[in-house]
Amino acid sequence: MIDIGVDEKTRAILVNGIAHTTTVDPDDADTFMGYRQAFVFKPAKGYGSKAAYRGDKLTKRVFGEILQMTMLRRNWLQPSERQLEIENKIVDFKLDLRHYVYKGQTQLISAVYIRDNHQFRHTGGGFAQVMVVPCRDNSSIDSV
C-alpha cells in the first residue's frame, strides 16, 4: 500500500478493518484443520458467496476437496446486526454493507438486510440505500 501512496493512518484502518486473507496451502492443511472454524473458504476466482464455505460447517470430505482447488481462506468475522420493528415485534437482521466499484470508481454503496439466511423472503429483508455524508471538518471517517 505504501507503493501506491496510501498514508499510514489509512493503512492502519484498512489493516484493522479488512479480514486477513491468504491462499489455502495444502501443505498447511494439518495446521489449520483443527481451527478451521475461524475461517471462511472461498474460490480464488469467485465472487460474492458462490462456493464459499464457513469453516465451522465443513466436513472432512469437503475440506479435502477444498485442498484440491485454488481457494482463499479469510478470517471469519461476525456479521453486523440490526434490529427492526416489524408488526410490533423486534426482529434481528444481519447487515452486509456492499461497495460496488468499477475501474477504481464507486458505482453504488448498499446495505443488505438478511434474516435467518433466507435472503429477501422475509418482511424487512432486502437492499437499502446507503448515503455517504462527508465530515464537516474533512476529517477521516474514524473520527466521526
Side-chain angles (χ1 to χ4, degrees):
M1 286 189 279
I2 295 171
D3 295 346
I4 60 172
V6 178
D7 63 88
E8 185 176 343
K9 187 174 182 180
T10 302
R11 287 194 312 268
I13 292 169
L14 292 172
V15 167
N16 290 321
I18 298 174
H20 182 70
T21 304
T22 59
T23 303
V24 172
D25 183 349
D27 293 336
D28 295 336
D30 291 337
T31 304
F32 62 84
M33 178 62 181
Y35 58 96
R36 67 187 180 279
Q37 67 275 4
F39 300 109
V40 172
F41 298 88
K42 302 178 101 175
K45 294 188 178 185
Y47 60 92
S49 60
K50 304 265 188 230
Y53 300 94
R54 274 184 45 183
D56 62 341
K57 307 289 184 190
L58 279 181
T59 63
K60 288 184 180 184
R61 181 189 62 79
V62 173
F63 187 68
E65 292 173 9
I66 285 172
L67 295 174
Q68 304 304 311
M69 303 183 311
T70 305
M71 297 286 278
L72 302 174
R73 67 178 175 150
R74 174 182 62 76
N75 289 0
W76 186 82
L77 300 173
Q78 179 72 28
S80 297
E81 294 183 351
R82 297 293 182 268
Q83 293 183 325
L84 301 176
E85 184 176 336
I86 298 174
E87 298 173 1
N88 298 319
K89 291 183 182 176
I90 301 298
V91 181
D92 294 325
F93 281 85
K94 293 179 185 173
L95 169 65
D96 182 12
L97 287 175
R98 307 221 173 150
H99 195 130
Y100 299 90
V101 177
Y102 179 72
K103 293 188 176 182
Q105 297 296 314
T106 295
Q107 305 297 306
L108 172 72
I109 301 173
S110 68
V112 181
Y113 287 89
I114 302 167
R115 178 177 166 199
D116 301 328
N117 293 326
H118 294 292
Q119 298 292 342
F120 303 134
R121 296 181 190 160
H122 291 359
T123 302
F127 286 98
Q129 179 180 7
V130 174
M131 295 179 59
V132 178
V133 179
C135 301
R136 288 186 217 165
D137 63 357
N138 292 326
S139 61
S140 66
I141 195 163
D142 64 332
S143 63
V144 175

